[in-house]
Amino acid sequence: MRVAHMRLNTRAYRPNIELVRDPVQYGLVEEVAQITDSVEALTSKLNESLGKLNNLESNKKALEEDIAVKTNSLNIDQSQCLRLRKTLVWRSFRPATMFSATSVCHSKVPIIL
């Protein structure tokens, strides 16, 4: 950008200059406009990228906190609850059937279909 501006200034202050714009002058002016547009587009992309980066960093922080909580929960489960579970006596459980084939239900409970 500075180079293009310097070229325009050099052309403006050259000796025996005429007040005529030639194709080179138009080319330099167009080049400065293109560079300015490119800088604005890149600045916009940079701001957008920085916003996304901040969003990703906050998501990363939330995930790291979630992992820390879950790791702590696992440690508590393994160090304290597992010892208690090992001392319990486990018996097989057989649920009693609610109705046998010979029993008759005498209650008057409405059946809603």
Side-chain angles (χ1 to χ4, degrees), residues 88-107:
L88 296 176
V89 177
W90 294 95
R91 297 183 207 161
S92 62
F93 176 72
R94 292 169 129 185
T97 58
M98 294 182 72
F99 300 106
S100 65
T102 59
S103 70
V104 177
C105 181
H106 295 289
S107 65

Side-chain angles (χ1 to χ4, degrees), residues 4 7 11-12 17 20 26 35 40 42 55 59 64 66-67 70 75 80-81 93 111:
R7 283 192 249 156
R11 282 185 60 79
I17 186 170
V20 177
Y26 289 124
I35 291 172
E40 289 174 1
L42 289 172
N55 189 18
N59 287 343
E64 287 174 345
D66 191 38
I67 289 172
K70 290 180 180 183
N75 288 337
Q80 296 175 4
C81 298
F93 176 72
I111 299 174

Side-chain angles (χ1 to χ4, degrees), residues 58-70:
S58 66
N59 287 343
K60 178 184 174 188
K61 183 179 178 182
L63 288 172
E64 287 174 345
E65 290 173 358
D66 191 38
I67 289 172
V69 167
K70 290 180 180 183

Side-chain angles (χ1 to χ4, degrees), residues 11-12 22 28-30 32 34 36 39 42 47 51 65-67 69 73 75 77 81 89 94-95 99 102 110 112-113:
R11 282 185 60 79
D22 56 354
L28 285 173
V29 170
E30 185 178 331
V32 169
Q34 287 177 351
T36 303
V39 167
L42 289 172
N47 291 335
E65 290 173 358
D66 191 38
I67 289 172
V69 167
S73 298
N75 288 337
D77 188 46
C81 298
V89 177
R94 292 169 129 185
F99 300 106
T102 59
I112 301 173
L113 299 176

Side-chain angles (χ1 to χ4, degrees), residues 38-50:
S38 296
V39 167
E40 289 174 1
L42 289 172
T43 302
S44 173
K45 290 283 186 181
L46 176 65
N47 291 335
E48 182 182 336
S49 297
L50 288 174

